[in-house]
Amino acid sequence: MLKAQRAVAGSRITGLGHYQPERVLTNAELATMVDTSDEWIRTRTGIIERHIAREDESVADMATAAARAAIADAGLEPDQVELIVVASTSVMDHSPNVAGRVAAALEMTSPVIIDVNTACSGFEHGIALADAAIRAGQVERAVVIGSEKLSAITDWTDRTTCVLTADGAGAFVLEAAATEAEIGVGPTVWGSEPTMSRAVIVEDETGNKFSQDGRMILRWAMSKASGITRAAVEEAGLSMDDIQVFVPHQANLRIIEPLAEQLGLTDRTVVTDVQVSGNTSAASIPLGLSKWWHEGRIPANAPTLLFGFGGGFAYASQVVLTPNRKP
C-alpha cells in the first residue's frame, strides 16, 4: 500500500502584507482623458481614486513586495515558506510564472510555485489550495498573493471600464495549525456559472483589453452572492452573528453595500477599499484587508468573511480568522 503524508488539523493566517504603486490617478485626472466626471464615477462606482503602476513595474514586482511584507509580518524569513501561490489575470509573461519570479526575487531555495487565474476570485481559490496543501501535510507554510496590473489591459478610451481598474497586490501567510483550536481558515465554498463565462473577458476579440457586462454581474451578485457567502459561514460552523468583518471583492460600491445589507452585516466592519484603490481584481481582497488591518481598523482573531467573484464566471468564499497582533 502507498504511504500517505501526515495530515494536520488545518491552517491559520499569521501575516498580512500589501503593496500599491506610488502614482495616484484621481477622477478629475480621468475626466481629462475620457468623457466622464468625478460625479459620474462616484455615483456609479463609489471610486474616488486609484493607484497605477509604472510602465516598468510588473505583476511580479508588486507580488514580491506584498509577499515580502506579509512574510516579515509573520516573523519569518522567505526561505521558511515552502509554497507560493499567486493569483492574477493580468500577467503578460507566461514562463517563468509569477510565483517563480517571486521566489527568485526573494532568493528562496526550492519552494513549490503555482499561479492561479480565476480572475477576481483567484485569491480565494489560492487560499483554498494552500490550505489543502497544509492540511495534507505537504507543506507547513505558504504565502498566497493576489497581484494585478489591470492598467496594462485597460482600454483607456472606454469610460465604462477605465474608471474601475487599478493596480496593486496583497498577500497572506498561512501556517499549519497544531490543533483544531488553532484553525484559522474555514472550508471554501466555490464554483462557477458557465452560462456567464463571457460576462468578464480579456481576449483577442477585445484586443486583450478588459471588458465586462456590468448589469449582468450586478444582477448575479444581488440574486446569488448571499447564498454562497451564507453557505461558507455555515461550512465554517458559524452563524452570520459571529462574523465581525466582511471583505467582498472590491468591484463596485454599488455591489458591496447592498450585499452587506442582504447579509445583515452593515453594523460590522465592511471593507470598502474600492473607494481609494479601485478594482484590483484578484488583489482587491488581500489588499483591502491588509491595509485596514495594519491601520488598526480590524481586530485580531476576528471571524472574517471573504468573497470573490468575477471572470470565468468563478466565485469562492471562506471564513478566516485575522492574525493575532504581535506584542
Side-chain angles (χ1 to χ4, degrees), residues 110-128:
S110 57
V112 179
I113 51 172
I114 300 173
D115 278 11
V116 175
N117 178 10
T118 53
C120 305
S121 63
F123 183 79
E124 293 69 53
H125 280 76
I127 289 289

Side-chain angles (χ1 to χ4, degrees), residues 99-151:
R101 293 170 190 263
V102 171
L106 294 178
E107 298 182 336
M108 300 169 72
T109 304
S110 57
V112 179
I113 51 172
I114 300 173
D115 278 11
V116 175
N117 178 10
T118 53
C120 305
S121 63
F123 183 79
E124 293 69 53
H125 280 76
I127 289 289
L129 295 176
D131 176 62
I134 291 172
R135 286 177 181 272
Q138 292 184 305
V139 299
E140 292 186 4
R141 299 182 182 91
V143 60
V144 182
I145 311 160
S147 183
E148 299 282 14
K149 189 176 180 178
L150 294 186
S151 63

Side-chain angles (χ1 to χ4, degrees), residues 64-180:
T64 300
R68 194 187 303 277
I71 292 168
D73 189 49
L76 300 173
E77 294 296 329
D79 237 10
Q80 292 178 273
V81 175
E82 303 150 283
L83 168 65
I84 303 173
V85 182
V86 178
S88 182
T89 194
S90 52
V91 180
M92 297 301 179
D93 302 310
H94 298 293
S95 184
N97 66 2
V98 181
R101 293 170 190 263
V102 171
L106 294 178
E107 298 182 336
M108 300 169 72
T109 304
S110 57
V112 179
I113 51 172
I114 300 173
D115 278 11
V116 175
N117 178 10
T118 53
C120 305
S121 63
F123 183 79
E124 293 69 53
H125 280 76
I127 289 289
L129 295 176
D131 176 62
I134 291 172
R135 286 177 181 272
Q138 292 184 305
V139 299
E140 292 186 4
R141 299 182 182 91
V143 60
V144 182
I145 311 160
S147 183
E148 299 282 14
K149 189 176 180 178
L150 294 186
S151 63
I153 57 171
T154 295
D155 179 354
W156 291 101
T157 67
D158 177 12
R159 73 169 187 167
T160 63
T161 56
C162 74
V163 300
L164 297 169
T165 53
D167 306 329
F172 289 6
V173 171
L174 273 63
E175 297 190 57
T179 66
E180 289 190 1

